[in-house]
Amino acid sequence: MNTFAVDARHPGLAPAESASEPTSVRLAIRIGYDGTAYNGWALQPGLPTVQGVLESALALLIRRKIRTVVAGRTDAGVHARNQIAHFDLTPAEVAGLARGADLEPGMALLRRLRGLLGREHGAILVRDIWIAPTGFDARFSALWRRYSYRIADGPARFDPLTRAFTMWHKAELDVDLLNAEAASLLGRHDFLSFCKPREHATTIRTLTEFSFQRDAEGVVVAHLKADAFCHNMVRAMIGACLKVGDGSENPGWVGMRLAEAVRDSRIMLADPRALVLEEVAYPLDAQEIARRAELTRTRRKPEELNKNLSKESDTK
């Protein structure tokens, strides 16, 4: 299956044609944010969140409460370069977005929304808004999500100017050991040992990429890609690998924890500030959008755990 990743190089999906006037029009939005000052994506009473700021701005523009659905609910302090969300408007609301100007509705809303979000001093940036194809769901239509994570290991690599998006790890890390542990997690598994379970939600996921490498400054950067990630899953996997990479645990410990499928205090959550949601991918074919959403809503079955990754080509 052909896919596209929604990132800085791609403006998004084109609108699907409809034979009849819809009762609502679904808009998709691509945003980036510095999560430092926010208690994550999801709404929390009395606390600043990215969803709260975005929905408050939309409510001012549309003059009613707007509810957004997101591709991945990031934790407190976590950042996003290309987060995807959707929300629904009536046809009349969409038609009124341009206020008489010769502008496509998405572009009109983009300009007005950017103006309102200026009060966040650049911490939340709306990149694109477009009319989504029929059946599009920012969460369930996604094929995969990709994250990055930066680690400065050792005081010699600590940089106060990058501390807002880099973890400081006191001990030196062995990148080869990190990669060996990361490789033991690839595939379709029950990641209960690395997840904070949610009620009625599965912890079965397919992890297709997980690797570590040093950049030009010597900072260790991890890259992860999966069909989806459970709550705390990325930070827990990073934290587990760090224990082996710095010698606190023996090689093979991460794979042993995976096999145990037990969530306990031995798993350390890595610092949220170094985690970035980089991109989310969706099918290119508009007709596959709704089918993908329906497939994802189907609960992953235990008998699928050992499914050959060669059959997962649509998530790569």
Side-chain angles (χ1 to χ4, degrees), residues 138-198:
R139 177 185 177 190
F140 291 113
S141 294
L143 292 170
W144 49 259
R145 289 90 169 158
R146 183 171 66 84
Y147 283 85
S148 68
Y149 193 93
R150 287 172 47 91
I151 309 159
D153 57 327
R157 296 189 177 95
F158 294 173
D159 182 356
L161 298 184
T162 62
R163 70 191 184 282
F165 54 90
T166 306
M167 176 186 183
W168 287 5
H169 192 73
K170 294 180 180 179
E172 188 90 10
L173 295 169
D174 185 319
V175 174
D176 289 337
L177 284 177
L178 291 175
N179 279 318
E181 297 303 300
S184 70
L185 296 177
L186 293 174
R188 177 169 291 181
H189 308 286
D190 185 343
F191 284 92
L192 177 60
S193 296
F194 305 98
C195 296
K196 184 176 181 180
R198 298 182 187 274

Side-chain angles (χ1 to χ4, degrees), residues 78-122:
V78 175
H79 319 291
R81 203 178 308 277
N82 294 285
Q83 174 71 277
I84 305 297
H86 77 248
F87 55 93
D88 296 332
L89 301 181
T90 67
E93 288 169 339
V94 172
L97 290 174
R99 292 183 173 181
D102 186 19
L103 288 174
E104 186 272 329
M107 179 57 68
L109 181 57
L110 175 66
R111 292 185 178 182
R112 297 171 63 192
L113 197 53
R114 279 182 175 176
L116 278 179
L117 291 177
R119 60 193 177 191
E120 299 301 310
H121 307 291

Side-chain angles (χ1 to χ4, degrees), residues 289-315:
I289 290 291
R291 283 197 286 268
R292 176 64 186 183
E294 184 62 29
L295 176 65
T296 307
R297 288 188 181 96
T298 302
R299 188 179 180 86
R300 296 170 178 86
K301 301 295 190 292
E303 58 267 24
E304 294 181 338
L305 291 178
N306 296 319
K307 186 174 181 180
N308 192 315
L309 275 181
S310 66
K311 298 179 181 180
E312 299 295 322
S313 59
D314 63 338
T315 67

Side-chain angles (χ1 to χ4, degrees), residues 12-30:
L13 298 166
E17 295 183 357
S18 175
S20 59
E21 181 69 15
T23 57
S24 65
V25 179
R26 178 153 294 180
L27 279 78
I29 182 170
R30 181 168 66 95

